Amino acid sequence: MTTQELPPAVRDIAAGYAFTGPALELGAVLLDGAAYPGAQVRIPLGVLNRHGLVAGATGTGKTKTLQLMAEQLSAQGVPVFLADIKGDVSGISAPGAANDRVTARAAEVGQEWRGQGFPTEFYALGGLGNGIPLRATVTSFGPLLLAKVLELNETQEASLGLIFHFADRNGLELYDLKDLSAVISFLTSPEGKEQLKGIGGLSAATAGVILRSLTVLENEGAGAFFGEPEFDTAELLRTAPDGRGVVSVLELPAVQDRPRLFSTFLMWLLADLYQELPEVGDLDRPKLVFFFDEAHLLFKGASKGFLEAITQTVRLIRSKAVGIFFVTQTPKDVPADVLAQLGNRVQHALRAFTPDDAKALKATVSTFPRSTYDLTEVLTQLGTGEAVVTVLSEKGAPTPVAATRLRAPQSLMGPVEEGVLRAAVDASPLTARYRDAVDRESAYEKLSARPAPTTAEPAPAPEPAPAPKPVPAEESGGLLGSLLGNPVLKSFARSAGTQLGREISRSLFGTSRRRR
């Protein structure tokens, strides 16, 4: 069927996706249950740094959509990061097998399908599970992110910031959780209380809450995530020798019972990338596309300061040529300030079994541009592997809303065998670099070796830190001005007399800049 033979409504939609530059091919326009392979729905590579949302009810095909997009990004030389919550994305490393369903889907959408695998690295948080261990030092992780993991309130979060500030100022390296526990215990001792007089205080009750939360975290096995060697996020930007982008798959089934931890760890990866990458503006294709699965876990119970930092990161990392796709069940799982910055949308089917479901459906429909579809009806009738799509055109304008029958992934739609995955991890050159944990001298060892203070010559209290100079809004670009209202970041600003303090004061999450 030629373009002229398409129904007028389909022809109008197809015209909105007739891009001239490189693009991801999503599928064919769907109207009244029929797919039109002559009307292709696509996303220009150059707008993928404008971020996006993949949403839909459980079982509607979100994971396969991620796989489809990741394959095409890799094929066009763009590295990809995928969080594999259920352990079924590892198949992207192996060729898919042809069957009747795949062949039929390819014919329906005009796809020339052939099975192929893509260059893949497998990671695991702290080495729990099959994958190259991902670790971060406590200092690098920072107090805002750690407070989110520990479920601290804003007062406790501010106290944690004070603890980090004290450690930075006194050369007490916080590599793992025992380092942080040692510093807290010291600061509640008579000697520690004396040293805190110049910069604030730490109540025994708050210290107790933080220590108990750290103990719970360690008992859950999360201590393995914190330490050295710390993962260098530049590893996520690699391409294979044949020019294809490496797909980094973070295997998470072993830590499914700690959702707050892995969602916050993903945010650390983004924060670290933001600090390390140079400003490049809009390129013809992104340097990395980051798929943030189970995104609602990141925002649930988050403090105001944490949400502000996420919003700033999403807004600013675009200029570093990094695209973020949040993956969740409904758009209402994502805060409005973040949702407003997402230019690309793939919405799978929604259910309307309850009044709350119906309300969520109505809210979702209201966020789409006007279209010829009755979206209230369409969104409840989409089949598995179908979605409503609207993206940004090459000129930055929204494309027409397009109900779409999506293409089939070319890689294996399911997990690879455990032995195959383990062999791939063992063969990776990164395994030798990150496999074995290292425990260098740090705060725990330094405080353990500290001589007991004598009553005759008490340790002098440090001089009070100088108050920070006010930063004019025009000099800070409005960024620090908008964040310094957070008490944690205020305490960091007071540490600007040291190199590490200056670096921390520039960070959105209070995370430290990597020292190479």
Side-chain angles (χ1 to χ4, degrees):
M1 182 180 292
T2 65
T3 303
Q4 289 73 22
E5 295 173 321
L6 294 172
V10 174
R11 188 165 60 244
D12 291 343
I13 293 171
Y17 293 88
F19 311 125
T20 57
L24 304 186
E25 304 288 344
L26 292 183
V29 172
L30 188 64
L31 184 66
D32 297 329
Y36 292 86
Q40 291 293 309
V41 177
R42 315 161 75 216
I43 305 179
L45 276 186
V47 303
L48 286 174
N49 68 328
R50 305 298 180 93
H51 312 318
L53 177 73
V54 179
T58 301
T60 55
K62 295 191 300 293
T63 301
K64 297 301 175 283
T65 297
L66 306 189
Q67 192 169 343
L68 172 67
M69 295 175 69
E71 290 176 353
Q72 294 189 51
L73 285 163
S74 174
Q76 299 196 59
V78 178
V80 177
F81 177 90
L82 286 172
D84 189 4
I85 306 294
K86 295 173 287 186
D88 54 4
V89 184
S90 59
I92 198 169
S93 62
N99 56 42
D100 292 343
R101 292 180 63 184
V102 168
T103 302
R105 174 58 64 98
E108 290 169 356
V109 301
Q111 178 185 11
E112 295 182 7
W113 190 93
R114 65 181 180 87
Q116 61 174 316
F118 296 82
T120 308
E121 290 281 12
F122 296 101
Y123 298 97
L125 287 186
L128 297 183
N130 291 318
I132 300 160
L134 289 189
R135 301 181 187 89
T137 64
V138 171
T139 290
S140 176
F141 208 73
L144 272 179
L145 292 176
L146 190 57
K148 177 70 164 60
V149 174
L150 299 177
E151 301 183 50
L152 304 182
N153 61 34
E154 290 196 7
T155 300
Q156 294 157 354
E157 181 183 286
S159 295
L160 187 61
L162 177 65
I163 294 164
F164 272 70
H165 165 66
F166 176 85
D168 293 336
R169 185 171 135 173
N170 288 274
L172 298 173
E173 298 87 355
L174 302 177
Y175 292 149
D176 52 30
L177 293 183
K178 74 177 186 297
D179 289 326
L180 182 57
S181 296
V183 172
I184 296 172
S185 297
F186 171 75
L187 291 177
T188 55
S189 69
E191 182 185 2
K193 289 180 179 178
E194 186 69 22
Q195 292 200 29
L196 271 184
K197 280 185 178 179
I199 55 175
L202 176 65
S203 74
T206 297
V209 169
I210 298 173
L211 283 172
R212 286 192 295 273
S213 298
L214 288 173
T215 299
V216 170
L217 197 62
E218 276 202 284
N219 289 342
E220 291 178 345
F225 307 149
F226 297 98
E228 293 187 302
E230 182 174 82
F231 181 67
D232 186 349
T233 50
E235 309 284 11
L236 303 178
L237 304 174
R238 294 181 301 131
T239 55
D242 62 5
R244 291 184 296 172
V246 172
V247 180
S248 298
V249 177
L250 178 58
E251 294 283 307
L252 292 169
V255 293
Q256 283 192 67
D257 57 340
R258 279 154 281 183
R260 190 181 300 268
L261 178 63
F262 70 66
S263 67
T264 312
F265 197 96
L266 296 186
M267 201 66 232
W268 172 79
L269 291 177
L270 280 176
D272 194 77
L273 283 166
Y274 171 77
Q275 292 181 74
E276 295 301 316
L277 291 175
E279 296 274 346
V280 293
D282 293 327
L283 304 177
D284 64 344
R285 64 194 64 209
K287 289 184 176 181
L288 173 72
V289 175
F290 196 103
F291 289 94
F292 209 127
D293 204 358
E294 301 292 340
H296 65 282
L297 298 171
L298 180 69
F299 304 110
K300 184 178 180 181
S303 68
K304 180 181 178 181
F306 187 81
L307 290 175
E308 287 175 349
I310 292 175
T311 304
Q312 291 282 14
T313 300
V314 172
R315 180 180 299 138
L316 297 173
I317 204 169
R318 178 178 72 82
S319 63
K320 308 292 182 88
V322 175
I324 307 168
F325 274 77
F326 293 99
V327 186
T328 189
Q329 293 195 10
T330 70
K332 69 181 180 64
D333 293 334
V334 181
D337 287 346
V338 175
L339 200 63
Q341 299 179 54
L342 310 183
N344 304 299
R345 185 97 167 263
V346 181
Q347 176 68 61
H348 287 264
L350 292 173
R351 310 301 183 209
F353 298 142
T354 69
D356 285 344
D357 290 342
K359 185 177 180 181
L361 174 62
K362 183 177 180 181
T364 299
V365 169
S366 69
T367 62
F368 278 93
R370 290 184 180 180
S371 73
T372 57
Y373 294 99
D374 180 350
L375 289 179
T376 301
E377 180 179 345
V378 170
L379 284 172
T380 56
Q381 295 182 356
L382 290 170
T384 301
E386 297 175 348
V388 171
V389 176
T390 181
V391 303
L392 294 179
S393 70
E394 292 168 311
K395 296 180 179 179
T399 59
V401 174
T404 307
R405 183 161 292 162
L406 299 169
R407 294 183 171 213
Q410 294 177 293
S411 56
L412 181 65
M413 287 187 279
V416 296
E417 294 181 2
E418 187 172 337
V420 174
L421 195 158
R422 192 179 300 115
V425 173
D426 291 342
S428 171
L430 300 183
T431 298
R433 188 179 308 169
Y434 295 108
R435 178 183 52 212
D436 299 325
V438 176
D439 190 8
R440 292 193 290 159
E441 182 185 50
S442 49
Y444 174 81
E445 289 78 14
K446 290 180 179 181
L447 291 173
S448 297
R450 192 183 185 94
T454 63
T455 54
E457 296 183 15
E463 295 182 6
K469 295 181 179 180
V471 182
E474 62 271 16
E475 292 183 15
S476 65
L479 175 57
L480 283 179
S482 65
L483 293 179
L484 284 176
N486 183 282
V488 179
L489 294 179
K490 283 183 178 178
S491 73
F492 285 156
R494 289 196 295 270
S495 69
T498 65
Q499 176 62 27
L500 184 56
R502 284 193 296 272
E503 291 168 351
I504 287 177
S505 69
R506 288 197 296 266
S507 167
L508 293 176
F509 283 95
T511 53
S512 68
R513 186 178 298 274
R514 190 183 301 278
R515 288 169 288 176
R516 301 192 184 280

